[in-house]
Amino acid sequence: MKADLLKAAPVKTLSYAVTVGLASLLSYWLTVSIMSEVHLSHEDGRLGGMCAVIATIFVLRASRQKSLHAAFARMSATLVSFALCLAYLAIWPFHPWGLALLVAISVLIPGLIGQPDAEVTAAISTTVIMVVASLSPREAWKEPILRLADTIIGVAAGVAVAILLNEIGRGRRGGWRSQHEGPQADPPG
């Protein structure tokens, strides 16, 4: 029995790796295609694709429920970062002290509102937005808006793939559901 589990682990890992890779391709392509008219430059479009891929990787988990939880945490963190960076960059240009202040606040807010899963992600998102804003200071205030849109696309792609795979997995297991049993549980792992 233990040998069967050891044999199944590499197959599950390979399957998950391929899924994450394909979902990342989807989110990158969607972001670069959909957002091509609003990104500030060709490079900014690629950065947007990267942000979407990161969101997809963050969200795509082994079960639909875990993916939805991760999507909520990712969007909570992104919204905190978005609001802080937009408010700051609408008034002031990038400055390292501003970056430090916003990173601290973006860790503080999720912790205070009971979302500790979002603290690190909010700080990372804030860092990305602020540093990218320093690269194009003329329109820096647009960066939080663009990165929010990119993240929404990435999160949506990750959740869609997780739900699709959950439904496919149910079909392979027979897909039966009695009207009295309620929703079938997510697959283990």
Side-chain angles (χ1 to χ4, degrees):
M1 177 130 179
K2 189 173 182 180
D4 291 340
L5 289 175
L6 290 175
K7 288 178 186 174
V11 172
K12 275 188 169 186
T13 302
L14 178 61
S15 175
Y16 178 69
V18 169
T19 299
V20 172
L22 291 174
S24 295
L25 175 64
L26 173 66
S27 67
Y28 183 85
W29 177 78
L30 285 172
T31 303
V32 171
S33 298
I34 292 171
M35 300 288 291
S36 66
E37 298 300 317
V38 295
H39 280 128
L40 303 176
S41 66
H42 175 74
E43 292 78 15
D44 190 58
R46 301 305 175 251
L47 174 68
M50 179 191 72
C51 290
V53 168
I54 290 169
T56 299
I57 293 166
F58 185 91
V59 167
L60 194 53
R61 304 293 172 95
S63 73
R64 179 183 59 186
Q65 191 63 30
K66 288 178 182 176
S67 291
L68 291 174
H69 177 75
F72 178 78
R74 177 66 186 181
M75 287 310 303
S76 297
T78 299
L79 289 171
V80 166
S81 177
F82 162 78
L84 290 172
C85 292
L86 183 61
Y88 179 93
L89 292 168
I91 300 169
W92 299 291
F94 172 85
H95 192 278
W97 283 105
L99 169 66
L101 176 65
L102 292 184
V103 166
I105 295 170
S106 60
V107 170
L108 181 64
I109 291 173
L112 291 176
I113 62 172
Q115 294 293 320
D117 291 347
E119 293 171 345
V120 171
T121 306
I124 292 169
S125 297
T126 296
T127 302
V128 168
I129 291 170
M130 291 297 288
V131 171
V132 170
S134 77
L135 300 174
S136 55
R138 210 176 78 231
E139 298 180 312
W141 65 271
K142 292 181 179 178
E143 289 301 330
I145 299 166
L146 293 170
R147 301 301 72 95
L148 174 64
D150 300 332
T151 300
I152 289 169
I153 293 169
V155 166
V159 168
V161 169
I163 290 171
L164 176 68
L165 290 177
N166 187 67
E167 292 304 314
I168 290 169
R170 284 184 183 176
R172 276 192 273 161
R173 288 189 305 271
W176 59 270
R177 270 165 57 182
S178 163
Q179 292 178 339
H180 305 290
E181 289 180 25
Q184 192 172 348
D186 286 329

